[in-house]
Amino acid sequence: MTGRLTIAGLGPGDESLITPEVSAALASATDVVGYRPYLARIASRDGLALHPSDNRMELQRAKEALRLASEGRDVVVVSSGDPGVFAMASAVFEALETSREWRDLTIAVLPGVTAMLAAAARIGAPLGHDFCAINLSDNLKPWPLIEKRLRLAAEADFAIAIYNPRSVRRADGFQRALEILREAGLSERLVMFARAVSTADETIETVTLREAQPEMADMRTLVIIGNSATRRVGRWIYAPRNAG
Amino acid sequence: MTGRLTIAGLGPGDESLITPEVSAALASATDVVGYRPYLARIASRDGLALHPSDNRMELQRAKEALRLASEGRDVVVVSSGDPGVFAMASAVFEALETSREWRDLTIAVLPGVTAMLAAAARIGAPLGHDFCAINLSDNLKPWPLIEKRLRLAAEADFAIAIYNPRSVRRADGFQRALEILREAGLSERLVMFARAVSTADETIETVTLREAQPEMADMRTLVIIGNSATRRVGRWIYAPRNAG
């Protein structure tokens, strides 16, 4: 097999946040596979086939990409942000386990600017000290595990980046997450809602955890909970290096 | 004041991992301020003044940059990786607190590909499930807090990205960190040592925590400890999306 599979991160939205490495991979690809809204960011050209698919189809999408590559195509699977953070890279490796013949393909993962880094940059430096990243979707893991991680993250005094805080299907989880963090004594912490960062729809809103409402987040929002030392200077919010 | 201060991330090393946004900022800057080895990555040109400084001088460097900007210069402060992750952004905001007159400057933070994302991409997808990032340097925080965070991160079953695992001055901390994680029952976990990723000196080494030796890391190494579900497929290592 001479095909190639590249798993690439498109960054949070703006063209100027796509690495040249990813742009080069897209420029030489014969096929691009991805979630429909991300494929809309790829310029069409002769010789390039786009293969859009729907949300929650990650494993099928990964298998389709591997199948195309095994036919000798030069395939790029795109994620927004970084493909290794709650995105397509894990799904491709899960798919790779299902067929030994795919193991010989040339595979590469190209990193990108993940949502929490883009959000943090707009806000200041809320991830400038130790932090964690938690995906609030319970499609693939039990909700009690998410609760446990939130409690331990609070106890560790990590800043907490929350991916996928809320969707139409999961209206209650984020509310419960906010309650858990309040119960852990974090009510005065700064909570940052960064929506659609680097796109025309970008909004940034900061409140205390006491004031935070579930409706402040949707599926395009990245939420950052500050640690105990996170503070404001002018319009900026940051975690001092000696926090804690 | 009409000066401008931009805090920019140069990514892990390779040119193709610098975002176009950062390249544009560097192309229009009058002054670039940063740690000496990072400034060596900036091409010199007419009209550009480089201001190198030594390690552990972050606050002085940040003040120098703010002072230059307050004189009307177009200043870029560079970090490797992402400036908001254990890098210069927090130091600039700390410096900003020391003088009210600097608050009116035009400041921007430009994100970048931080070391753990570049390392994870080379390895597979070890950060594809919930994870945390801990800076092992105790220059600015008490060592017992680091130990506490390591224990809680193990209990939460996070993958753990360790920045600055080891330096000449801190030879013992990383050994102690490995011991703490073994005591927490993680001896069979996969531990990934990613050194100088995307440079000519790149090395990647994976062992179990039981086999891990402090000497496998130096100040250019990013260490990732897998979570309980992290596994190999072919030459790749990844965290399944349903880990835990």
Side-chain angles (χ1 to χ4, degrees), chain B residues 223-234:
Chain B
V223 179
I224 299 178
I225 319 283
N227 71 8
S228 61
T230 299
R231 61 184 189 238
R232 294 177 188 266
V233 53

Side-chain angles (χ1 to χ4, degrees), chain A residues 90 97 130 141 231 238-239, chain B residues 90 97 130 141 231 238-239:
Chain A
S90 280
E97 292 209 30
D130 301 337
K141 64 187 165 185
R231 59 183 190 241
Y238 79 104
Chain B
S90 281
E97 292 209 30
D130 300 338
K141 64 185 166 187
R231 61 184 189 238
Y238 79 104

Side-chain angles (χ1 to χ4, degrees), chain A residues 16-18 20-21 84 90 94 97 127-131 133 135 140-141 149 156 231 236 238-239 241-242, chain B residues 16-18 20-21 84 90 93-94 97 127-131 133 135 140-141 149 156 231 236 238-239 241-242:
Chain A
S16 72
L17 294 173
I18 301 177
E21 182 180 62
S90 280
E94 286 173 38
E97 292 209 30
L127 304 178
H129 193 78
D130 301 337
F131 63 93
N135 184 349
L140 288 161
K141 64 187 165 185
R149 286 182 177 151
R231 59 183 190 241
W236 301 98
Y238 79 104
R241 294 169 301 152
N242 62 353
Chain B
S16 73
L17 294 173
I18 301 177
E21 182 181 63
S90 281
F93 293 116
E94 287 172 37
E97 292 209 30
L127 304 179
H129 193 78
D130 300 338
F131 63 93
N135 184 348
L140 288 161
K141 64 185 166 187
R149 286 181 177 151
R231 61 184 189 238
W236 302 98
Y238 79 104
R241 294 169 301 151
N242 63 352

Side-chain angles (χ1 to χ4, degrees), chain B residues 5 33-39 51-68 75 77-79 87-88 91-92 95:
Chain B
L5 181 66
V33 174
Y35 177 40
R36 195 173 303 275
Y38 304 152
L39 281 203
H51 305 267
S53 48
D54 292 331
N55 202 3
R56 302 183 76 180
M57 303 294 286
E58 290 83 5
L59 198 61
Q60 296 92 316
R61 185 187 304 144
K63 288 180 178 176
E64 180 188 15
L66 285 160
R67 202 159 38 232
L68 286 164
V75 183
V77 177
V78 292
S79 288
M88 282 301 296
V92 169

Side-chain angles (χ1 to χ4, degrees), chain A residues 14-22 58-59 82-87 89-91 93-97 103 105 107-114 116-118 120-136 140-142 145-146 148-150 152-153 155-158 163 227 231-244, chain B residues 14-22 58-59 82-87 89-91 93-97 103 105 107-114 116-118 120-136 140-142 145-146 148-150 152-153 155-158 163 227 231-244:
Chain A
D14 191 272
E15 291 275 323
S16 72
L17 294 173
I18 301 177
T19 66
E21 182 180 62
V22 168
E58 290 83 6
L59 198 60
D82 178 274
V85 176
F86 312 130
S90 280
F93 294 116
E94 286 173 38
L96 196 61
E97 292 209 30
R103 303 280 170 90
L105 289 169
I107 296 178
V109 184
L110 309 186
V113 174
T114 185
M116 69 179 167
L117 300 185
R122 283 289 205 267
I123 292 164
L127 304 178
H129 193 78
D130 301 337
F131 63 93
C132 65
I134 299 178
N135 184 349
L136 221 62
L140 288 161
K141 64 187 165 185
L145 180 62
I146 297 174
K148 177 183 175 183
R149 286 182 177 151
L150 288 168
L152 290 166
E155 187 178 348
D157 198 18
F158 284 128
Y163 281 73
N227 71 7
R231 59 183 190 241
R232 293 176 189 268
V233 52
R235 80 165 191 82
W236 301 98
I237 294 168
Y238 79 104
R241 294 169 301 152
N242 62 353
Chain B
D14 191 273
E15 291 275 323
S16 73
L17 294 173
I18 301 177
T19 66
E21 182 181 63
V22 167
E58 290 83 5
L59 198 61
D82 179 274
V85 176
F86 312 130
S90 281
F93 293 116
E94 287 172 37
L96 196 62
E97 292 209 30
R103 304 278 170 93
L105 290 169
I107 296 177
V109 184
L110 309 186
V113 174
T114 186
M116 68 178 167
L117 300 186
R122 283 290 204 264
I123 292 164
L127 304 179
H129 193 78
D130 300 338
F131 63 93
C132 66
I134 299 178
N135 184 348
L136 221 62
L140 288 161
K141 64 185 166 187
L145 180 62
I146 297 174
K148 177 182 174 184
R149 286 181 177 151
L150 288 167
L152 290 167
E155 189 179 347
D157 197 18
F158 284 128
Y163 282 73
N227 71 8
R231 61 184 189 238
R232 294 177 188 266
V233 53
R235 80 164 192 82
W236 302 98
I237 295 168
Y238 79 104
R241 294 169 301 151
N242 63 352

